[in-house]
Amino acid sequence: MSLRLHNTLSRRLEPFEPLDPDRVGVYACGPTIYGHAHIGNFRTFVFYDLVHRTLEWLGYGVHFVMNLTDVDDKTIAAAAREGLNLERYTAPFAESIMEEADALGIRRFDLYPRATAYIDRMIELVQTLLDRGLAYRTDDGSVYFDISAFPDYGALSGKDLEQGRQGERVAADEYEKDDARDFALWKASKAGDEDVGAAWDAPWGRGRPGWHLECSAMSLAEVGETLDLHLGGEDLIFPHHEDEIAQSEGATGRPFVRTWLHVRHLRVEGEKMSKSLGNVVTVRELMEEGISPAAIRHQLLSAHYRSELNFTREGLEASARAITRLVDFADRLASSAAEGPGGDDLREAVERARIRFREAMLDDLNVQEAMASLFIFMREANPLVQHSGSAARADAIAFLESTNEVLGLLALGRESRVVDPELEAWVEARVRERDEARAARDWERADALRDELEARGVRLEDGPSGTRWTWSGAGIAAG
RNA sequence: GGCGCCGUGGCCAAGUGGUAAGGCAGAGGACUGCAAAUCCUCCAUCGUCGGUUCGAUUCCGACCGGCGCCUCCA
């Protein structure tokens, strides 16, 4: 069984067959770095991460590129407002996004090209399109793509060309586009552009690239003429990706993308997230509140990527507890020293879970089903841990680590538990004190110590081999 | 108006033409000095109304409700 993915272009599940399994070319539309990324952006990035991890987990060699858009209307306007040039204005946001991505366990991609570093390639691309008669210049020095010269336009989004046709050529107005749907490849310089350093010389005049052009140029330069996968948020299907197809295929004459994957937007507490509703949530804020990155990641993975996801506080708590259970289980496996005869049962449970987990991931990245297999496994395995041998437990641990390669939740959950050594030493001392009290059957003293520890967020477990302690998973805080 | 998506237990969320995974929460029980953790049991007939079918939550239709895109929002 091989990986099947839902291709936006065909609107169906297709077997994934990369051109070169040793170098799967992936291009993901990254953020425009004009402000702090919000939780919706990160749903998308976590999805990119999931694709990246899954491909590698399946043994493919992957070349994964995510761009950063640093020149467009929004970055220019914001930079102008701050009186900074583009570079100075955007750099901190790129940094902050990378920090948050790291915190959420998003593994680094191979390359993060910025649009402004590819202006030459963009100019070449525009020239090619002009030479091929697919684009035209206007008197102000702008260049537009001529939709009427690209018959396939609309295939990705399912738009009916004629339906949306909004205006015939207005011959009298030479500054206007020929057709309302033609889009800018190159925008002639305006005064504000120059101020922030967003203007470059081109054969047809000084200006700056159109937004859609950036992705075509960067993917062409860094991945190739034909991408195995192109990823993005659902809002980009039209017109952004439609325009990318037109430009790229117009210029190269080759298929641009084999498989398109689009992530659905999320909602916050049941509502669309928007500035006007004032419900824009950023990862930075959540983390400042002490919410564990593992819980955030878990929630961002809690719905299939093609379904709407409702991001809620209540959901974060549920996620935090689920993570606690996972990490506890892994701890228990690792710390057990039992050498019982129950290893075969554990091995069988591992095998069932492995198969189910893999099948789920192969089925269009069905993370929910995959996680279900993981939790079913934990339920089956928990009673077996104390009756198994170390070899069987090692097998179980290997399975958990393998799921972590894909989901990234176990490692992140463990990270959330790291605390400062001093506090840890204090806890250890209290636990020992309590053990002594318990040995002396001084329950009052033991319970008082437990209460004190619990107040600090420490959870105790008295087991046959002594007392384990962990940071409480009751709250959503990292501890 | 055009194109498209969704409506599954208290919350979140998979899934299937033959009476519905998983997480969180809840109830009862086992274990425990008491707890915690863990395990066991219980808790839904899948928006409404029709149709197809031996049988539909799953296919078709209508309706109700929610949502997305239609030029730059992941």
Side-chain angles (χ1 to χ4, degrees):
Chain A
M1 189 66 84
S2 61
L3 179 61
R4 292 178 308 279
L5 296 171
H6 181 89
N7 189 350
T8 308
L9 191 58
S10 65
R11 290 173 184 74
R12 54 174 27 142
L13 239 43
E14 295 175 353
F16 176 65
E17 287 160 2
L19 292 170
D20 176 2
D22 293 327
R23 197 176 193 277
V24 177
V26 187
Y27 185 88
C29 273
T32 300
I33 44 180
Y34 68 109
H36 290 293
H38 52 65
I39 195 70
N41 292 306
F42 279 100
R43 178 192 193 182
T44 300
F45 305 154
V46 166
F47 169 68
Y48 294 169
D49 182 51
L50 182 72
V51 172
H52 186 208
R53 285 168 173 267
T54 302
L55 290 173
E56 293 193 338
W57 179 70
L58 291 172
Y60 292 109
V62 183
H63 183 62
F64 199 115
V65 174
M66 181 175 95
N67 73 290
L68 300 173
T69 293
D70 59 357
V71 52
D72 81 324
D73 290 347
K74 292 192 296 289
T75 55
I76 290 171
R81 203 163 48 237
E82 299 292 318
L84 296 171
N85 72 35
L86 222 43
E87 162 66 22
R88 287 268 320 275
Y89 179 77
T90 58
F93 294 116
E95 249 174 69
S96 126
I97 286 169
M98 296 301 277
E99 278 170 20
E100 289 161 354
D102 287 347
L104 292 183
I106 294 170
R107 293 210 328 231
R108 292 290 174 114
F109 304 129
D110 296 296
L111 202 64
Y112 299 86
R114 293 187 200 193
T116 49
Y118 290 79
I119 302 292
D120 291 350
R121 303 300 296 258
M122 296 178 201
I123 291 173
E124 282 173 32
L125 198 54
V126 174
Q127 190 56 252
T128 303
L129 291 169
L130 282 167
D131 293 346
R132 290 192 161 209
L134 293 165
Y136 58 91
R137 298 158 62 164
T138 57
D139 283 358
D140 69 343
S142 294
V143 181
Y144 289 91
F145 188 92
D146 178 6
I147 294 248
S148 65
F150 193 79
D152 277 353
Y153 193 82
L156 182 68
S157 56
K159 302 281 177 205
D160 184 333
L161 261 184
E162 298 309 314
Q163 200 74 23
R165 203 164 189 95
Q166 287 183 15
E168 293 305 306
R169 180 173 193 138
V170 186
D173 187 350
E174 285 157 303
Y175 295 90
E176 278 299 313
K177 299 183 277 186
D178 289 356
D179 183 294
R181 293 157 308 128
D182 287 351
F183 57 90
L185 297 170
W186 191 262
K187 293 185 170 185
S189 232
K190 288 184 215 141
D193 299 352
E194 209 69 67
D195 296 340
V196 299
W200 293 266
D201 285 319
W204 43 86
R206 200 162 165 78
R208 51 140 173 137
W211 175 45
H212 314 302
L213 185 67
E214 301 177 359
C215 288
S216 286
M218 289 185 276
S219 63
L220 184 59
E222 299 300 344
V223 184
E225 291 185 336
T226 299
L227 317 177
D228 289 305
L229 291 173
H230 190 138
L231 321 179
E234 60 171 339
D235 56 302
L236 298 181
I237 295 172
F238 186 89
H240 186 55
H241 288 161
E242 203 73 76
D243 292 350
E244 282 185 38
I245 293 172
Q247 294 163 342
S248 297
E249 300 196 351
T252 68
R254 305 186 57 83
F256 176 42
V257 172
R258 292 163 60 85
T259 304
W260 288 93
L261 264 34
H262 289 98
V263 201
R264 199 86 195 269
H265 279 13
L266 58 64
R267 300 173 77 77
V268 169
E269 304 292 345
E271 288 187 311
K272 182 186 169 114
M273 185 171 61
S274 73
K275 281 181 188 150
S276 57
L277 283 170
N279 62 348
V280 174
V281 176
T282 66
V283 170
R284 149 178 313 257
E285 287 163 4
L286 292 172
M287 294 202 302
E288 276 166 9
E289 284 178 40
I291 292 170
S292 127
I296 298 172
R297 182 178 175 97
H298 178 95
Q299 208 187 5
L300 290 177
L301 286 172
S302 71
H304 185 84
Y305 74 93
R306 286 189 283 115
S307 298
E308 203 167 66
L309 179 151
N310 192 12
F311 192 88
T312 64
R313 295 283 161 168
E314 198 180 341
L316 279 172
E317 299 215 19
S319 289
R321 288 176 195 250
I323 293 291
T324 297
R325 217 174 136 206
L326 174 63
V327 176
D328 279 353
F329 175 68
D331 276 357
R332 205 169 290 127
L333 266 179
S335 64
S336 170
E339 282 303 338
D344 287 346
D345 289 343
L346 184 55
R347 280 177 194 279
E348 282 167 24
V350 169
E351 199 45 36
R352 279 194 300 276
R354 258 198 191 110
I355 292 168
R356 190 166 168 188
F357 184 91
R358 184 182 165 84
E359 288 301 312
M361 290 311 298
L362 290 175
D363 181 18
D364 198 26
L365 309 173
N366 190 338
V367 175
Q368 298 60 236
E369 173 68 22
M371 284 213 254
S373 76
L374 188 54
F375 279 90
I376 290 169
F377 167 67
M378 288 197 279
R379 194 179 59 218
E380 290 174 345
N382 253 318
L384 300 174
V385 171
Q386 293 308 325
H387 308 292
S388 64
S390 56
R393 283 198 303 277
D395 191 35
I397 290 170
F399 169 62
L400 290 187
E401 296 299 339
S402 171
T403 66
N404 179 61
E405 285 302 303
V406 178
L407 304 174
L409 291 172
L410 183 55
L412 207 56
R414 282 173 174 147
E415 270 176 41
S416 299
R417 291 196 172 175
V418 175
V419 291
D420 85 272
E422 240 175 79
L423 184 55
E424 202 156 315
W426 178 85
V427 173
E428 298 279 4
R430 295 271 118 168
V431 170
R432 270 196 303 278
E433 222 181 299
R434 177 169 169 277
D435 280 344
E436 284 163 22
R438 290 183 68 227
R441 305 185 69 80
D442 182 353
W443 308 128
E444 260 181 55
R445 171 104 186 106
D447 290 351
L449 281 162
R450 181 169 60 202
D451 289 345
E452 187 182 353
L453 284 163
E454 274 177 358
R456 296 286 199 104
V458 175
R459 192 187 58 196
L460 298 178
E461 291 176 33
D462 298 328
S465 51
T467 301
R468 281 177 79 239
W469 69 271
T470 52
W471 294 102
S472 168
I476 53 180

